[in-house]
Amino acid sequence: MTTTVSQKQILDALSKVNDPELHRSLTDLKMVRDVVIHAGKVEVTIALTVSNCPLKSQIEEDVRAAITALPEVKQVSVKLISMTDQERAALFGEPKEGAAAPYNHIQNVVAVMSGKGGVGKSLVTGLLAAALSKKGYRVGILDADITGPSIPMLLGLHGPVEPGPVGLRPLQSRGGLKVMSMNFLLTNEDQPVIWRGPLIGKAITQLWGDVMWGDLDYLLVDLPPGTSDAALSTMQSLPVKGVVMVTTPQGLSAMIVRKAVHMTQAVGVPILGVVENMAYFICPDTGKQHFIFGPSHATEITLAASAPLMAQLPIDPNVAALCDAGHVEDVKLTEIEGLIEAFVKAAPVQAERQHG
Amino acid sequence: MTTTVSQKQILDALSKVNDPELHRSLTDLKMVRDVVIHAGKVEVTIALTVSNCPLKSQIEEDVRAAITALPEVKQVSVKLISMTDQERAALFGEPKEGAAAPYNHIQNVVAVMSGKGGVGKSLVTGLLAAALSKKGYRVGILDADITGPSIPMLLGLHGPVEPGPVGLRPLQSRGGLKVMSMNFLLTNEDQPVIWRGPLIGKAITQLWGDVMWGDLDYLLVDLPPGTSDAALSTMQSLPVKGVVMVTTPQGLSAMIVRKAVHMTQAVGVPILGVVENMAYFICPDTGKQHFIFGPSHATEITLAASAPLMAQLPIDPNVAALCDAGHVEDVKLTEIEGLIEAFVKAAPVQAERQHG
């Protein structure tokens, strides 16, 4: 009597294969459809949750490996189809606000803030994210500057975004950062978002709860200037662990940054550290430092914030050029190493790093 | 028979003397109280609308001159008292929102905007205002950046503001600019304004309608970054004649400024011109121009805005230092002359200039 692999064995094997985004097994997700066994040849049909699933080749590979590992299996063929809207709704419920949140596991949410505009919050966010990613951390950026988003350009990313089974999929930067910005949702990036505050606040909670961030060590939230809706919604609706406060040497910045410091204190979110940007310019001809925006006010900010100075970054035309070209991940500044060290110390993550 | 000046003659004379703020006659405003005539000596009692009236010596002088000009008057004495709250309420009604607006006569309201933060909107506002004032125009600045006000520091102005009879009196800069900012209304300037959008919008309409701006040729409105509540409320609730759009060379700025350009087009407010700030830095050692923030994107903004380039301003450490010291009115840049010329051409005023 010829022994053969049973349907039960195959389903058991597939019950141990997880959807890589949703972290639930293929059988649990009702993704396994037909299983045909014929003389050691196994044909399975897998219904992807969405047709555009970017991880479909990984799923196919995992299915093939799990079945191949069973005894008596000589050949495996995997057919991929995708669920209908009805099947998907039966599984996840009708699309609703915040649906992605239960599937996301984010260790540390850190907001990058200033109060003042144009001090380089987005640059600091981009530099931090890229350097953390290079160290092996899983990093996302939520661009909370709904009306003046800088993050997409710094990373050279453009919409549209694709819907996933339980929410929108963030875009992925060259360096592997998961990124979501209001700009990806506009039909034209020059389109202004002319919204009053309540909609701004709502947009931010949607960029949080309707996006499939997945597993992240750090989610950096790039806040717009001011202490109004965007900052309030972020600090009140997201589990913000702390704030990195960005300033520049100008006394003018210092005054407004102090307001932001007092806001974080009022809402009870700790300040992890202070970054002074545009601290000086080194003339390429003479090598001399020019304090273009005046002497540093960083000390008074660190005192007001009761937080350490994480870095002082120069004005560097190469940095501006890389940012305009969408290559913030390629910026090399010696100051970044100290910044990352201070950051990771202030916001440690518990899990093992996955790579790096 | 000795002829003598009559009470009627005196009241007639005083009916031609106007309160310099309210532009209504002293008799109409019920400010003239006792009139005592005794052998060519006239004693009048004038009730000021508020006790802190900064123009009281001017009123006293005008009253004295009007009575002295009458025949048979040998000596005039003016006694100043102030109205009670009840008298003031009987005259102007109970204090209410927008009460100052009917007394204000402002020829041109121009908003200074960018969309992007930190590009120098407040600097451009201050430079424009100071230079217009030096040319003899009557100029006010409404600081619409409620959560991140820069204008008070640039002009070295601090609250509190004093109440006038029909609204708050703006502060006056050394150069004679009338200035109002949320910062003047805070008990401590480091205090953040943690308000959601609807309150931000309301604050701006109050800085417009509850402030005794008086007669102005130009009221410049310094907008915060973004295209949300502050910009919307300003453009929808104030009679904005046009917008001066501020940008910097960075491509990043250009993208966000284009959003602001499209917003003004969406709400139907014309763009009067574009100012590029931080265009270059001249190294003090070599005299060489450094394009720190990259090559200019001004042309593409002027094309998108269908508006002329009004000026390209350099990065100048002296300017930053003057701004931090509250002396923006003392900034000297050769580029300002062209800026003012273009500005006045784009937003001409009809009345005769009062001085200069």
Side-chain angles (χ1 to χ4, degrees), chain B residues 51-54 159-165 167-171 180 184-185 212:
Chain B
S51 59
N52 59 359
C53 180
V161 291
E162 298 283 332
L168 296 173
R169 276 211 184 78
L171 294 187
M180 184 55 84
F184 303 153
L185 306 173
M212 296 176 61

Side-chain angles (χ1 to χ4, degrees), chain A residues 183 193 195 197 228-229 251 259, chain B residues 183 195 197 227-229 251 259 324:
Chain A
N183 238 30
V193 178
W195 284 352
S228 187
D229 292 86
K259 286 180 186 276
Chain B
N183 238 30
W195 284 351
T227 52
S228 186
D229 292 87
K259 284 180 187 276
D324 275 357

Side-chain angles (χ1 to χ4, degrees), chain A residues 117-118 147 183 189-193 195-197 226-229 233 251-252 255 258-259 262 285 288 292 315 324, chain B residues 117-118 147 149 183 189-193 195-197 226-229 233 251-252 258-259 262 285 288 292 315 324:
Chain A
T147 69
N183 238 30
E189 294 182 348
D190 286 356
Q191 191 183 333
V193 178
W195 284 352
R196 290 194 174 272
T227 52
S228 187
D229 292 86
S233 293
L252 186 56
M255 188 269 276
R258 283 199 302 274
K259 286 180 186 276
H262 292 146
D285 303 324
K288 199 174 137 186
I292 290 185
I315 304 175
D324 276 357
Chain B
T147 69
N183 238 30
E189 294 182 349
D190 285 355
Q191 191 184 333
V193 177
W195 284 351
R196 289 195 173 270
T227 52
S228 186
D229 292 87
S233 293
L252 186 56
R258 283 199 303 274
K259 284 180 187 276
H262 292 147
D285 302 324
K288 198 176 137 185
I292 291 185
I315 304 175
D324 275 357

Side-chain angles (χ1 to χ4, degrees), chain A residues 244-263:
Chain A
V244 171
M245 198 61 77
V246 184
T247 185
T248 69
Q250 270 203 275
L252 186 56
S253 302
M255 188 269 276
I256 295 173
V257 175
R258 283 199 302 274
K259 286 180 186 276
V261 166
H262 292 146
M263 180 201 173

Side-chain angles (χ1 to χ4, degrees), chain B residues 101-146:
Chain B
Y103 296 91
N104 295 334
H105 302 282
I106 302 174
Q107 281 210 44
N108 273 329
V109 180
V110 176
V112 180
M113 188 183 189
S114 167
K116 177 97 177 68
V119 298
K121 286 177 294 297
S122 302
L123 173 67
V124 169
T125 305
L127 294 177
L128 263 174
L132 286 167
S133 176
K134 278 176 200 144
K135 295 256 177 215
Y137 296 102
R138 297 160 302 178
V139 184
I141 298 178
L142 189 164
D143 181 2
D145 196 345
I146 304 299

Side-chain angles (χ1 to χ4, degrees), chain B residues 41-81:
Chain B
K41 291 187 184 175
V42 180
E43 268 181 46
V44 292
T45 302
I46 301 291
L48 300 169
T49 51
V50 282
S51 59
N52 59 359
C53 180
L55 299 164
K56 59 183 166 189
S57 50
Q58 188 188 334
I59 293 174
E60 186 180 341
E61 211 173 284
D62 291 350
V63 166
R64 191 182 303 277
I67 299 174
T68 306
L70 296 172
E72 316 296 337
V73 171
K74 295 196 181 73
Q75 199 183 325
V76 181
S77 100
V78 181
K79 190 179 163 198
L80 298 177
I81 59 171

